[in-house]
Amino acid sequence: MSLAFSPVRPAPAPSPAPRARPVKVGRATTWLVWASVAAMAAISAMALVALGVPYAVSGGSFLTKIHPATWFAVAAVVAATIERGGPGRWAAEIAVDHPGVIALAAAVALVLVHTALVQHLPLSAIVDTFVLPILVFAAIGALDPAERRPIGAALHLFLAFNAIVGLVEYFSGWRLTPMYDVDGTIIHDWRSTAILGHPLNNAFATGCWLVMTATGGGRTMPFVARAAAMALAATALVAFGGRVALIFAFAITAAAGGLGGLRLLAGRRFALNDAAMAAAAVTILTVAAIVAVDAGAADRLIQRFSDDSGSAGTRIAMFRIFGDLGWEEFLFGPPPDLMRQAQRDWGIAIGIESTEVAFVAFYGLIPALLLLAALGAYLIELVRATSRANLWPVAFFVVVMSASTGLSSKSTNLALFTVMVMTMTPIVGRRYGGSSSGAGAH
């Protein structure tokens, strides 16, 4: 047969190359992640001091200044690196899929060098506050969604138990964990310390739990459990006495509910359970607030709004500590002794109650802006890697951290927030390697 009359068939389209499947990590990484999260939740800074470890007080070696959760997170990342065949591909995947994490890592590295060589300040605060969240993001991000869900469920149970302990402390006067000052003396306060050890850490975690349960983190929970969790969180916020956390947890939850109501009025379809949940939440929170105020249970919190023990004055005075600085000191960081003396002169004994202002005071304006920009990129990355519903918890995080010492002092708050966002919310973002992790992934 002549080739001139042979039928011409179109060449078959090349099949798309299969997308790389994420490498499943082994049990070692999973259990080390569990260990890090458990240490983060159960071993507070105050508990370490009570056990004789000078973690949050003067004295002790550098090793005692690093939280156990950080050591477990380092081990988890090392185990995941070995199980995935080396750090090269994994680091490249994180850099491509999650540039916000790399931005924070680079900024933290620069601030560590600046702190060590210029400011001569302790590095442990930066390690636990900023390096631990990066390690946690990498380690939890290496887990499958099915491996993350039990961690989120365990956190719900822990936060519920922590809230119950806080309420018992509030009404009984008993304290599970004493609260220590920097010099090791015990601080007596009506606010509950519970398991997380400090009233403001408890208020932040509980407020975040309320916001997440209301806006997305509780969607997999039964209706009754979700309503009970929200009521328990709202009540416990009174016991922990965090004014900013309480106000904005309620405000953000109400705002999220209000926007949901506007969408319904605009004709958006909704599930009957969601409508019932909204009605139940409003009813429970309203009744709980009325009963608490009527019974006098919130008297101490109400008094704290009228007598804040100098907190409002501290927020005004903190801007005056820069008055005697030169431009070079303001831009690149003043000598630590000079800043401590300025705090004493202006009566700022309880710390600079603003993360942003404290960053400028400790590191200088330029390093502070760099770190804050990278932190913003990291928070956006958390939303991209999980769900847009986490914009609400991120807003809560930013407000509460901005109105307190927050991230300017050594804490595991950002790491705990990272764990909550990555495990308590159904995942619809991108995993390493660009593979989708759930319905609705893009």
Side-chain angles (χ1 to χ4, degrees), residues 89-388:
R89 178 180 176 184
W90 192 18
E93 289 172 353
I94 296 176
V96 171
D97 289 342
H98 304 291
V101 178
I102 301 301
L104 180 60
V108 169
L110 290 175
V111 171
L112 278 170
V113 173
H114 176 76
T115 301
L117 300 182
V118 179
Q119 295 302 96
H120 305 290
L121 291 170
L123 301 180
S124 59
I126 300 176
V127 172
D128 281 348
T129 306
F130 295 109
V131 176
L132 175 57
I134 296 170
L135 296 173
V136 165
F137 185 101
I140 294 181
L143 304 181
D144 290 331
E147 295 171 315
R148 299 189 199 183
R149 280 191 290 270
I151 300 176
L155 275 178
H156 277 292
L157 293 175
F158 166 77
L159 290 166
F161 183 67
N162 185 70
I164 292 171
V165 172
L167 290 171
V168 171
E169 290 183 346
Y170 182 76
F171 288 107
S172 69
W174 166 79
R175 292 293 180 267
L176 174 65
T177 309
M179 191 162 58
Y180 294 90
D181 205 342
V182 178
D183 60 2
T185 58
I186 295 179
I187 301 173
H188 298 282
D189 198 307
W190 65 263
R191 297 173 296 174
S192 300
T193 57
I195 303 173
L196 292 177
H198 193 284
L200 297 184
N201 289 341
N202 280 287
F204 161 71
T206 305
C208 189
W209 181 40
L210 172 60
V211 171
M212 291 195 68
T213 303
T215 60
R219 293 188 182 279
T220 58
M221 299 170 63
F223 173 84
V224 175
R226 189 178 179 188
M230 292 177 63
L232 179 58
T235 307
L237 280 171
V238 176
F240 295 133
R243 294 165 298 171
V244 176
L246 183 146
I247 291 173
F248 280 93
F250 276 66
I252 290 175
T253 301
L259 288 177
L262 291 176
R263 293 191 188 101
L264 297 183
L265 293 177
R268 180 177 176 178
R269 301 179 66 179
F270 65 95
L272 185 59
N273 283 345
D274 290 341
M277 181 71 250
V282 172
T283 303
I284 290 171
L285 293 176
T286 303
V287 172
I290 293 173
V291 171
V293 173
D294 186 62
D299 287 352
R300 285 176 288 187
L301 177 64
I302 294 173
Q303 183 180 3
R304 184 162 161 76
F305 279 91
S306 58
D307 180 12
D308 61 0
S309 301
S311 180
T314 297
R315 288 188 171 90
I316 297 173
M318 66 184 180
F319 292 103
R320 299 171 179 167
I321 61 177
F322 303 104
D324 295 330
L325 300 183
W327 276 108
E328 183 178 351
E329 293 173 330
F330 180 66
L331 293 176
F332 298 101
D337 292 340
L338 177 62
M339 192 51 57
R340 283 192 288 266
Q341 182 60 46
Q343 288 182 243
R344 286 192 293 268
D345 291 343
W346 290 103
I348 307 176
I350 57 178
I352 300 174
E353 296 194 39
S354 168
T355 291
E356 294 85 353
V357 176
F359 278 174
V360 177
F362 296 154
Y363 309 122
L365 180 62
I366 293 177
L369 291 177
L370 175 66
L371 187 56
L372 288 170
L375 179 61
Y378 176 79
L379 294 175
I380 293 173
E381 202 61 66
L382 278 177
V383 176
R384 291 182 62 248
T386 52
S387 168
R388 290 182 181 177

